[in-house]
Amino acid sequence: MTETSGKSASGETAATVFRPRKSSWKYIGPGIVVAATGVGAGDLVATLIAGSSFGYTLLWAAVIGCLVKISLAEAAGRWHLSTGRTLFDGWASLGRWTTYFFVVYVVVWGFVYGAAAMSSSALPLQALFPGVMDLEWWGIACGLVGLVFVWFNKYEVFEKVMTVLVGVMFVVTVYLAIRVTPNLPDAFAGLLPVLPDEKDSVLNTLGLIGGVGGTITLAAYGYWVNAKGWTDTGWMKVMRLDNRVAYVTTGIFVIAMLFVGAELLHSSQVAIASGDKGLLQLSDILAAEYGTATAKFFLIGFFATSFTSLIGVWHGVSLMFADFVAHYRGGPARSEEVASGRRDKSWAFRAYLLWLTFPPIVLLFQGQPFRLVILYGVLGAAFLPFLALTLLRLLNSSRTPREWRNGLLSNAMLVIAGVLFLVLCAKQVWDQPWSEFF
């Protein structure tokens, strides 16, 4: 991986030089993981609703959403590879406020997300196997399977399983897109940046752009890059190819579901509910239009979509939490530590796994507490502007080697991402029923 030259004639020792790895498809892996984790049932429903409401008009917004997320994930991966430091170590160098934000975020967000992920994975299983168990017990089963799988397996096994599930997602979504027979001239016209002639069309468009492909999983990408064994700049070209594969894959999922929304729902003026239950409604519509087999095939894809998000967060965010604890205790927050596998065998990693799994079970039976849901929504909306703006700071400072600092394009994309997500965060905060909160 590296070569170190000896002393020169002047007696000076040359610095270690990292041989660049040839960009090759055989290395692809973390990108598949981030694509699988980032695209959840909620993303598919949001895209379906956009297609059902506006037809192909907002196809361009889905494409831009992928480009924005490419820039964020690439920046996170570049930080890890160019500095040899983890992202949390970079955040900590910006001040204690980043640590406070991260801790509150992972505690509140993880508690509510754990219940949401288990419930989302349970819905298609209950529909596929009616009468076997109640939804809550399906949810608990999904959470426990995710816990055991991540607890006992190394990153290599985790990546392989995610790749298989992504393959299922890919086949199902592309099959549906072909089955509904998309209007290709209208689809190509949808690549032109035109806003729908509707109320709040700007905010709806920004919401679609911001909702494509993940939140905290974008920050976890750098950790998965290290877990793969990529720890130095010799892997930079490989990481960039891997990242592009991630968001091309994400784009295919999103565009396919927008096709389904535009053709199956928009033309017949059928509305579906927001949230995961909207996909159950789509299953019923598919059964009526194309038969039970197609509906069941879709439910299998629905499960793959939800469960990849569950185990992806169980692994990636636990890895980030373990890194935070190691840094807090004065341990090394280095890429090599993540690559060694010590992080995902640590007590902190497993403690956060337990936090994601067991406390949220209470929410499955009692419903989500009103105030906690509001905090969850606000913290979730605040994370992406936090990520974009901190990466902008880190990658334009002396913390990053000069060769790997942001160029004009990277800065422009991170500024666009930061502004976009700040607007969406402000809207999310504004829309919360604060008068009922206090």
Side-chain angles (χ1 to χ4, degrees):
M1 181 171 64
T2 63
E3 59 176 352
T4 306
S5 60
K7 289 185 178 181
S8 65
S10 63
E12 295 177 349
T13 302
T16 299
V17 177
F18 297 111
R19 290 196 188 114
R21 299 277 179 161
K22 184 178 180 181
S23 186
S24 172
W25 293 98
K26 70 180 181 180
Y27 294 125
I28 298 305
I32 297 296
V33 172
V34 79
T37 308
V39 178
D43 299 290
L44 297 187
V45 172
T47 311
L48 273 171
I49 291 174
S52 66
S53 301
F54 308 117
Y56 295 102
T57 305
L58 291 181
L59 181 59
W60 63 273
V63 173
I64 288 179
C66 289
L67 294 176
V68 168
K69 299 293 179 68
I70 281 176
S71 67
L72 283 169
E74 188 276 338
R78 178 155 45 94
W79 167 264
H80 278 249
L81 294 182
S82 65
T83 65
R85 300 162 62 189
T86 63
L87 186 54
F88 183 81
D89 192 46
W91 284 339
S93 72
L94 297 176
R96 289 188 177 182
W97 67 273
T98 58
T99 301
Y100 299 148
F101 175 82
F102 178 76
V103 171
V104 174
Y105 178 84
V106 295
V107 170
V108 175
W109 181 88
F111 182 50
V112 180
Y113 180 83
M118 287 188 275
S119 177
S120 179
S121 299
L123 280 169
L125 290 176
Q126 189 185 42
L128 283 166
F129 306 103
V132 175
M133 285 193 291
D134 291 339
L135 183 67
E136 294 82 4
W137 294 106
W138 277 117
I140 292 170
C142 290
L144 292 176
V145 169
L147 170 70
V148 171
F149 172 73
V150 174
W151 189 293
F152 289 106
N153 283 298
K154 296 181 179 179
Y155 171 81
E156 291 80 3
V157 177
F158 165 71
E159 183 187 287
K160 285 182 173 63
V161 170
M162 292 289 271
T163 302
V164 171
L165 292 173
V166 165
V168 173
M169 293 167 60
F170 186 89
V171 170
V172 170
T173 54
V174 171
Y175 167 77
L176 289 179
I178 294 171
R179 189 69 192 265
V180 299
T181 317
N183 186 322
L184 293 181
D186 284 356
F188 282 115
L191 294 173
L192 296 174
V194 175
L195 291 174
D197 187 19
E198 303 280 347
K199 182 183 178 183
D200 294 332
S201 62
V202 173
L203 289 175
N204 287 331
T205 302
L206 292 178
L208 180 60
I209 293 172
V212 174
T215 51
I216 196 171
T217 54
L218 292 167
Y221 178 65
Y223 288 86
W224 285 322
V225 162
N226 290 159
K228 180 76 170 175
W230 307 347
T231 58
D232 57 61
T233 55
W235 292 100
M236 197 70 75
K237 286 185 178 180
V238 177
M239 181 275 292
R240 284 171 167 163
L241 173 64
D242 180 74
N243 182 41
R244 293 183 192 114
V245 168
Y247 283 94
V248 168
T249 306
T250 298
I252 290 171
F253 293 150
V254 170
I255 290 169
M257 294 310 286
L258 191 138
F259 282 5
V260 173
E263 292 296 336
L264 193 62
L265 306 178
H266 181 68
S267 57
S268 56
Q269 296 298 301
V270 175
I272 61 171
S274 60
D276 300 342
K277 292 185 178 178
L279 293 184
L280 289 183
Q281 288 180 266
L282 178 63
S283 173
D284 294 337
I285 295 166
L286 288 170
E289 290 284 333
Y290 303 113
T292 304
T294 296
K296 289 188 179 298
F297 188 51
F298 167 72
L299 287 171
I300 293 170
F302 177 4
F303 172 74
T305 300
S306 298
F307 194 65
T308 51
S309 294
L310 186 152
I311 60 175
V313 166
W314 263 230
H315 186 277
V317 184
S318 297
L319 207 54
M320 295 179 69
F321 182 77
D323 189 53
F324 150 70
V325 172
H327 185 277
Y328 181 77
R329 291 165 63 91
R334 309 290 296 177
S335 299
E336 289 85 354
E337 288 292 308
V338 180
S340 71
R342 285 190 286 269
R343 286 284 186 268
D344 51 11
K345 298 302 177 187
S346 67
W347 69 265
F349 180 91
R350 289 172 168 173
Y352 194 74
L353 264 179
L354 296 172
W355 173 254
L356 283 168
T357 307
F358 288 105
I361 288 174
V362 175
L363 302 185
L364 293 177
F365 290 96
Q366 295 187 356
Q368 298 180 354
F370 176 70
R371 289 182 176 84
L372 198 60
V373 171
I374 291 179
L375 290 176
Y376 166 79
V378 171
L379 286 168
F383 186 81
L384 282 178
F386 168 79
L387 177 63
L389 297 175
T390 53
L391 283 172
L392 196 64
R393 179 75 182 95
L394 290 171
L395 293 168
N396 283 290
S397 71
S398 59
R399 297 173 181 84
T400 304
R402 185 175 297 278
E403 179 185 358
W404 302 108
R405 291 178 197 169
N406 277 358
L408 185 62
L409 179 60
S410 296
N411 277 327
M413 293 301 291
L414 288 179
V415 167
I416 290 169
V419 172
L420 165 67
F421 296 125
L422 277 174
V423 170
L424 292 174
C425 180
K427 180 180 184 297
Q428 181 82 355
V429 172
W430 180 265
D431 286 346
Q432 297 299 332
W434 294 108
S435 60
E436 301 173 33
F437 183 87
F438 299 103

